[in-house]
Amino acid sequence: MTPAEFVAKWRDVDLTERSSAQTHFIDLCRLIGHLDPISADPQGQWFTFERGATKATGGEGWADVWKKGFFGWEYKSKNRDLDAAYLQLLKYQGALENPPLLVTCDTDRIVVHTHFPNRPTEIKELTLAGLVEPEQLAVLRAVFHDPERLRPDKTIQAITEEAVGNVTTIALALRARGVPPDRVARFLDRVVFCLFAEDVGLLPNKVFTRVVQNAQGDPPRFRALAADLFAQMAVGGDFGADRIEHFNGNLFDATEALEITADELRQLLLVSALDWSNIDASIFGTLFERALDPDKRSQLGAHYTSREDIETIVDPVVMTPLRREWVEVRARFDRLVEGNPNSTTWRRNARTLIRGFLDRLGAVTVLDPACGSGNFLYVTLQKLKDLEKEVIVHASAYFPFFPQVGPWQLHGIEVNAYAHELAQMTVWIGHLQWHERHGMGLEERPILRPMTNFAHKDAVLTFDGSNATEAEWPPVDFIVSNPPFLGDKFMRDRLGDAYVDALRGEYRGRVPGAADLCCYWFEKARAHIETAKCKRAGLLATQGIRGSSNRQVLIRIKESGDIFFAVSDRDWILDGANVNVSMVGFDDGSERERVLDGRRVSAINSDLTSGTDLTSAKRIAAAANIAFQGPVRVGDFDVDHDTAAGWLQLPNPHGRPNSDVLRPTLNGNDNLGRARGRWVVDFSNRPVDVAALYERPFAHVVDHVKPERIKNREASRRDQWWLHGRSGETMRAALAGRQRYIAVTQTAKYLLFQWQLAATLAEQTVIVFALDDAYSFGVLHSRIHGVWASALGTQLEDRPRYTPTTCFETFPFPAPHEGLRQVIAATAGELASLRASWLNPPEWTREEVLEFPAAIDGPWAATVTNPNAQGIGVARYVRRVPVDDTAAALLRKRTLTSLYNENPTWLVDRHAALNEMVSEAYGWPPTMTDEQILSELLALNLAI
């Protein structure tokens, strides 16, 4: 059949739907060269007329035509309401296996609605007369043959980002004119809600867009009209010729509209042209919050947490127990159905069973005590409503039920004013959007309810500057949250001394003083469960939660309940940056199933591992005062090599050399490659009058350190401005008399130990071991120590972090015979020598020697020669430098990290030999698994 023949046949047909539908559809198949349903699928398994379907709202229905994976198709008589037909298909779509296209038709018109996952719904309308045009015929062919051709180009996320970007322009302009941020947020929340409401039909006739259009060039008129519309939305009433529904809620309880400029009004007209029905409310709030909040403005355009990320913790914490309940209820219901469905008793019992579970879902309460712009609560609400729909559909063949789950079941606490406002709008839009997409109308009025469950306050501490008490949380069923990731070292700068002192004082004995900020949320959630004010909680933290002081909150969780779910390491988005986090789900211990990193385990330890519980490892007395983190400087104490070389030759009035207070410095990168050639002024613990006698170094500290240090909030650092922030005196004492020490970069891709000159002063990014023997170097560099350090250390993003207390002070060294000890030492020495030659090839480097006065009681004591009566002699500092610029360029690429990335055969062989010898020192075979090594090391640790 040609397009012209098809149009001619159907142009004057005016039959009822029942009389015309199947004949019309068969002719469409002939038109585009597709077999009709009976010819293509005689059994009606994947392409059929009259496909039976259970409505989402309950009851059975029929889709006029269905092709699996392609479309659901609904006919209406000519000139009937195709929107009603579309609503009918929305109610069937789940039973139709969610086809990507929903098509409505009245023989004169064919309306195609796209429904691809993560894509907006687009509408393509074909007319009978237009089917002679190639463009319309191509759309129809795609419906039958290739729906993917109709997939919208933009994702919902892209549309949301575009919408936020346009609103952001207006927000920034208002803030630039000095409009208070809370007024900007409140006004634009209303604007966004109006744009959404009119695009889903809750506001009639594009009424807000018409306000914007009619007020172009007249900002005062826009302000007056918008305020009037807001007022009508608050109570319901007439706005011109349009009847406005009663919205109520908190959103429109004050009618203020801001006066915007003519340019902003033009921008708003562009904004109103977007399809707001398709925005993703789970990310809109986050992006909009960044636009409104000056503290988060730098994150504009950054990534955001996806719905899939949030579901990772919402599903096991909230949905798993509810789904478990539903499985039991459904099984009981199905047994009743199989019994006697005509019995009055059966109907009463079955209805009561389903009604009881739906009431249970309608009473579930969820708290996010750091709710931000509401994305966790939004996702949780969507999941609850999806389960409710599943229950309604399952029972709908026998009983009609209607949805009752809504935003009023959600509780949020948020200290940020912008986010607090946005969170409420986010969950309301999500609620209304869900109903619109599933074809379930909202009969209740007012449309919105007051959101008294969202509190604008600090979630962990009530503090007025002098008095502090622990903040209160409401009793709920579940807690899910992404609390603030703020490390202990940054809390004072961000929150202030008074607040941090009050917080630590209020939680003393429950949260360690050195714990990160998020740990307070973990402790409060634990206490909420312990006091029966919550059943289950799921929170996020950086991976630091697994170690050191932070882990104490997980230990307390296991003491009063247990961890039933954890993801030990997952990529996440924090303030627009990629980080690695841990997720923890916990309860009172009643959950019997344990899932760690996606697999079932018998137990989850407090360090988020399973199997051997290394958290019981104790610190070994013999290992104390050997491993240290480098001292904290707090100030610009550094100078370059040439400056230091000049100062080393200068005399001082008291006759002491400047080498007393000048030392090469070492940071983490220096330790992994070639040193930068930096030195540090280090007065150790000398009083200021003695430090001043070292004239030139002291002058540098006066000029470059003192101005900032005298403003430091910590009294000791402020008053002792010439000294390092933490002097490391214990470390200095442990290194006294040694010529060298072992150093490891605390956070790096590989755990790599290096020898360093004893006079070198490490920075805080380096762990220093007061060990100068090659045997110890070999044991530390063995696989056995690496496995232990990896398991007991923490992690920063994707890099392991070595901590002296957990990685070294708990590690039991072997006790080999002397011959084996010497072989390990020789092998380790060879490894260190070969690596040093690779880093500084003699062909590309030359030796540079610096000689200077030094004292036998100073940091250079091990290298001093020919001291005089006062103990002052000559020290030598030798370093290797490039022979020319070409060599310098080549050497810049030579680091231990790049060497271990290449992993040449000679390196593999040396490590294999070292690992075999250290295994022999323990009396173990070299083929042991990591788990076996950890188990045996723990046994040795506990036996000491």
Side-chain angles (χ1 to χ4, degrees):
M1 179 177 280
T2 67
E5 290 171 337
F6 182 87
V7 173
K9 176 177 180 178
W10 288 96
R11 181 185 297 120
D12 299 321
V13 173
D14 193 18
L15 298 172
T16 64
E17 173 193 341
R18 182 181 296 274
S19 301
S20 62
Q22 293 194 7
T23 302
H24 181 267
F25 190 83
I26 291 171
D27 279 354
L28 282 175
C29 292
R30 295 171 59 201
L31 172 65
I32 49 87
H34 192 286
L35 291 175
D36 64 78
I38 294 174
S39 300
D41 180 19
Q43 281 75 43
Q45 298 298 310
W46 55 271
F47 188 23
T48 184
F49 291 116
E50 298 296 323
R51 165 74 175 190
T54 301
K55 299 177 184 178
T57 51
E60 293 296 319
W62 303 89
D64 290 329
V65 197
W66 171 71
K67 184 179 180 184
K68 183 177 181 179
F70 283 69
F71 56 76
W73 192 298
E74 191 70 20
Y75 273 97
K76 290 294 179 185
S77 299
K78 189 174 290 189
N79 299 319
R80 294 290 296 273
D81 185 3
L82 290 185
D83 287 342
Y86 175 59
L87 185 64
Q88 200 168 330
L89 281 173
L90 283 175
K91 295 175 181 177
Y92 296 157
Q93 64 179 341
L96 298 177
E97 302 180 40
N98 296 303
L101 305 176
L102 299 180
V103 186
T104 59
C105 180
D106 69 354
T107 70
D108 268 357
R109 293 178 297 150
I110 301 173
V111 183
V112 182
H113 301 256
T114 65
H115 272 264
F116 291 90
N118 197 35
R119 289 296 191 277
T121 295
E122 289 187 353
I123 300 173
K124 300 181 185 297
E125 184 166 334
L126 315 179
T127 63
L128 177 61
L131 287 179
V132 298
E133 301 295 333
E135 293 81 7
Q136 291 203 21
L137 203 58
V139 172
L140 188 62
R141 285 196 179 99
V143 170
F144 281 83
H145 294 285
D146 187 10
E148 282 295 320
R149 292 180 58 189
L150 303 180
R151 180 188 289 269
D153 293 332
K154 284 187 176 180
T155 64
I156 288 176
Q157 286 82 359
I159 290 172
T160 304
E161 290 176 11
E162 181 181 0
V164 172
N166 281 276
V167 178
T168 294
T169 302
I170 301 171
L172 298 181
L174 289 167
R175 289 290 295 119
R177 293 205 304 276
V179 180
D182 57 333
R183 293 181 64 198
V184 173
R186 188 78 164 164
F187 168 65
L188 290 177
D189 277 355
R190 295 174 180 185
V191 167
V192 168
F193 186 85
C194 287
L195 291 168
F196 167 78
E198 67 177 17
D199 280 354
V200 297
L202 292 172
L203 279 176
N205 304 320
K206 292 282 189 177
V207 62
F208 185 79
T209 295
R210 287 190 287 113
V211 165
V212 177
Q213 290 170 336
N214 294 335
Q216 287 298 300
D218 191 353
R221 184 168 185 239
F222 167 76
R223 183 179 188 181
L225 289 172
D228 189 14
L229 177 60
F230 295 163
Q232 296 307 316
M233 293 176 75
V235 297
D238 293 329
F239 182 74
D242 294 308
R243 179 67 181 174
I244 304 301
E245 293 279 8
H246 184 189
F247 284 86
N248 197 8
N250 303 95
L251 196 56
F252 297 99
D253 57 7
T255 59
E256 181 190 39
L258 299 181
E259 183 170 325
I260 59 179
T261 67
D263 285 342
E264 291 156 9
L265 199 52
R266 282 192 292 272
Q267 182 70 34
L268 190 54
L269 186 61
L270 297 175
V271 169
S272 64
L274 301 173
D275 182 2
W276 287 82
S277 66
N278 283 307
I279 64 168
D280 184 348
S282 71
I283 65 172
F284 180 89
T286 299
L287 297 176
F288 196 22
E289 179 190 355
R290 293 174 185 167
L292 290 173
D293 191 342
D295 291 338
K296 300 191 175 184
R297 193 75 44 73
S298 62
Q299 300 164 29
L300 286 174
H303 294 291
Y304 40 77
T305 302
S306 70
R307 173 173 179 151
E308 290 73 22
D309 288 330
I310 298 170
E311 287 177 344
T312 303
I313 197 161
V314 169
D315 275 339
V317 173
V318 179
M319 301 311 300
T320 291
L322 294 176
R323 286 198 166 277
R324 190 182 294 149
E325 290 180 40
W326 167 230
V327 168
E328 295 177 0
V329 169
R330 183 176 61 195
R332 292 168 58 195
F333 177 82
D334 291 345
R335 286 196 296 271
L336 288 171
V337 170
E338 293 167 3
N340 184 7
N342 298 316
S343 161
T344 302
T345 301
W346 171 87
R347 293 188 64 81
R348 182 174 61 250
N349 291 342
R351 182 181 179 85
T352 299
L353 187 64
I354 297 296
R355 178 77 273 162
F357 185 70
L358 288 174
D359 288 345
R360 160 84 170 108
L361 290 181
V364 166
T365 51
V366 183
L367 167 67
D368 184 344
C371 68
S373 50
N375 54 355
F376 267 60
L377 291 174
Y378 164 88
V379 170
T380 304
L381 179 63
Q382 300 290 300
K383 303 288 286 186
L384 288 171
K385 293 182 74 65
D386 287 345
L387 177 57
E388 182 184 46
K389 175 186 173 183
E390 182 181 328
V391 177
I392 290 173
V393 169
H394 190 78
S396 62
Y398 305 95
F399 309 105
F401 293 103
F402 299 94
Q404 56 182 319
V405 170
W408 42 88
Q409 296 170 235
L410 307 177
H411 296 253
I413 301 175
E414 177 54 48
V415 71
N416 182 290
Y418 303 98
H420 174 254
E421 290 282 346
L422 285 164
Q424 298 169 68
M425 184 186 72
T426 294
V427 297
W428 269 119
I429 286 181
H431 175 67
L432 300 174
Q433 204 172 45
W434 188 95
H435 278 264
E436 188 264 341
R437 289 176 175 171
H438 290 82
M440 295 185 176
L442 285 166
E443 302 299 328
E444 291 186 2
R445 294 298 182 270
I447 294 173
L448 308 180
R449 299 187 192 181
M451 295 294 283
T452 57
N453 291 343
F454 281 68
H456 177 209
K457 67 175 188 177
D458 189 310
V460 292
L461 190 70
T462 301
F463 183 57
D464 62 6
S466 55
N467 299 312
T469 57
E470 183 177 343
E472 289 292 325
W473 290 1
V476 291
D477 294 307
F478 303 103
I479 294 172
V480 287
S481 193
N482 181 8
F485 297 170
L486 189 60
D488 163 55
K489 294 181 175 61
F490 300 101
M491 285 172 61
R492 290 189 179 276
D493 288 338
R494 188 78 61 86
L495 304 174
D497 289 334
Y499 180 90
V500 172
D501 291 340
L503 180 67
R504 290 176 174 171
E506 191 65 26
Y507 287 84
R508 184 173 289 112
R510 297 165 58 193
V511 179
D516 294 345
L517 184 60
C518 68
C519 293
Y520 295 88
W521 273 258
F522 277 80
E523 168 56 23
K524 276 198 66 66
R526 182 207 65 79
H528 226 49
I529 293 171
E530 185 180 36
T531 55
K533 296 178 181 177
C534 179
K535 296 182 178 67
R536 295 158 72 100
L539 281 77
L540 275 74
T542 59
Q543 290 207 59
I545 196 74
R546 303 164 62 189
S548 63
S549 299
N550 294 329
R551 195 172 68 211
Q552 294 303 311
V553 297
L554 299 185
I555 292 173
R556 282 177 60 82
I557 284 170
K558 288 185 66 66
E559 289 172 348
S560 63
D562 208 351
I563 299 171
F564 62 80
F565 165 82
V567 176
S568 61
D569 180 6
R570 182 181 174 91
D571 292 337
W572 198 255
I573 303 298
L574 167 62
D575 293 342
N578 288 304
V579 297
N580 285 65
V581 301
S582 297
M583 301 179 177
V584 187
F586 50 98
D587 67 351
D588 61 0
S590 57
E591 175 63 65
R592 307 272 40 104
E593 185 175 274
R594 307 281 182 269
V595 177
L596 173 65
D597 295 332
R599 59 187 176 86
R600 291 188 177 183
V601 295
S602 59
I604 300 175
N605 304 321
S606 62
D607 59 352
L608 306 188
T609 63
S610 62
T612 304
D613 186 3
L614 300 177
T615 62
S616 61
K618 62 185 181 181
R619 292 164 74 173
I620 300 169
N625 294 325
I626 293 176
F628 309 89
Q629 184 176 11
V632 178
R633 304 281 170 81
V634 192
D636 183 15
F637 288 89
D638 288 12
V639 296
D640 60 49
H641 177 80
D642 291 342
T643 299
W647 291 356
L648 286 169
Q649 306 302 330
L650 297 177
N652 289 309
H654 62 331
R656 296 288 299 188
N658 279 331
S659 59
D660 285 354
V661 297
L662 281 174
R663 309 172 62 173
T665 187
L666 177 81
N667 67 13
N669 288 331
D670 295 332
N671 194 55
L672 292 171
R674 305 181 68 258
R676 297 161 297 160
R678 302 292 295 177
W679 290 60
V680 61
V681 177
D682 173 31
F683 293 119
S684 185
N685 59 355
R686 292 174 173 85
V688 67
D689 58 333
V690 175
L693 294 172
Y694 299 91
E695 290 182 328
R696 195 61 197 88
F698 188 79
H700 171 84
V701 173
V702 169
D703 293 340
H704 295 274
V705 178
K706 183 178 180 180
E708 292 301 317
R709 283 285 290 272
I710 60 175
K711 295 184 288 187
N712 196 286
R713 59 166 51 94
E714 290 190 33
S716 61
R717 293 181 176 180
R718 185 173 59 248
D719 298 339
Q720 296 181 320
W721 51 265
W722 67 97
L723 302 181
H724 292 172
R726 192 177 68 226
S727 64
E729 290 306 310
T730 307
M731 180 191 75
R732 296 171 194 274
L735 292 175
R738 300 180 187 273
Q739 290 191 345
R740 64 181 184 177
Y741 60 80
I742 300 171
V744 68
T745 301
Q746 184 173 35
T747 304
K749 183 176 181 180
Y750 303 108
L751 187 63
L752 302 174
F753 298 84
Q754 280 274 67
W755 289 116
Q756 297 296 341
L757 186 68
T760 302
L761 185 63
E763 297 182 10
Q764 67 188 83
T765 56
V766 175
I767 303 301
V768 171
F769 300 84
L771 298 168
D772 54 11
D773 63 294
Y775 165 74
S776 296
F777 183 94
V779 173
L780 289 178
H781 232 313
S782 69
R783 173 193 169 216
I784 290 175
H785 180 65
V787 168
W788 183 261
S790 177
L792 275 84
T794 56
Q795 197 158 340
L796 179 64
E797 298 176 0
D798 60 344
R799 295 163 294 159
R801 186 199 298 263
Y802 193 100
T803 51
T805 52
T806 60
C807 297
F808 179 79
E809 294 184 10
T810 61
F811 179 69
F813 269 66
H817 58 78
E818 185 59 31
L820 182 55
R821 177 187 291 266
Q822 291 179 9
V823 172
I824 291 172
T827 305
E830 183 186 25
L831 172 65
S833 178
L834 289 171
R835 287 194 324 198
S837 295
W838 186 90
L839 286 171
N840 291 288
E843 298 85 353
W844 297 350
T845 59
R846 61 180 174 82
E847 203 173 69
E848 181 182 89
V849 179
L850 178 64
E851 293 188 342
F852 48 87
I856 59 174
D857 58 351
W860 295 90
T863 67
V864 173
T865 59
N866 301 319
N868 59 21
Q870 288 74 40
I872 309 297
V874 176
R876 297 177 82 248
Y877 174 60
V878 181
R879 63 174 188 157
R880 299 200 70 86
V881 298
V883 294
D884 53 32
D885 291 343
T886 301
L890 293 169
L891 288 169
R892 276 194 291 272
K893 301 176 182 178
R894 293 216 162 195
T895 66
L896 287 183
T897 301
S898 62
L899 172 61
Y900 279 77
N901 283 338
E902 296 174 14
N903 210 20
T905 301
W906 65 263
L907 185 65
V908 173
D909 290 346
R910 273 23 179 224
H911 275 286
L914 185 62
N915 291 334
E916 186 172 350
M917 293 170 192
V918 174
S919 294
E920 184 181 346
Y922 281 99
W924 303 337
T927 55
M928 286 175 65
T929 65
D930 289 358
E931 184 62 29
Q932 288 171 328
I933 288 173
L934 293 174
S935 178
E936 292 295 331
L937 285 175
L938 180 62
L940 288 176
N941 170 280
L942 297 177
I944 294 176

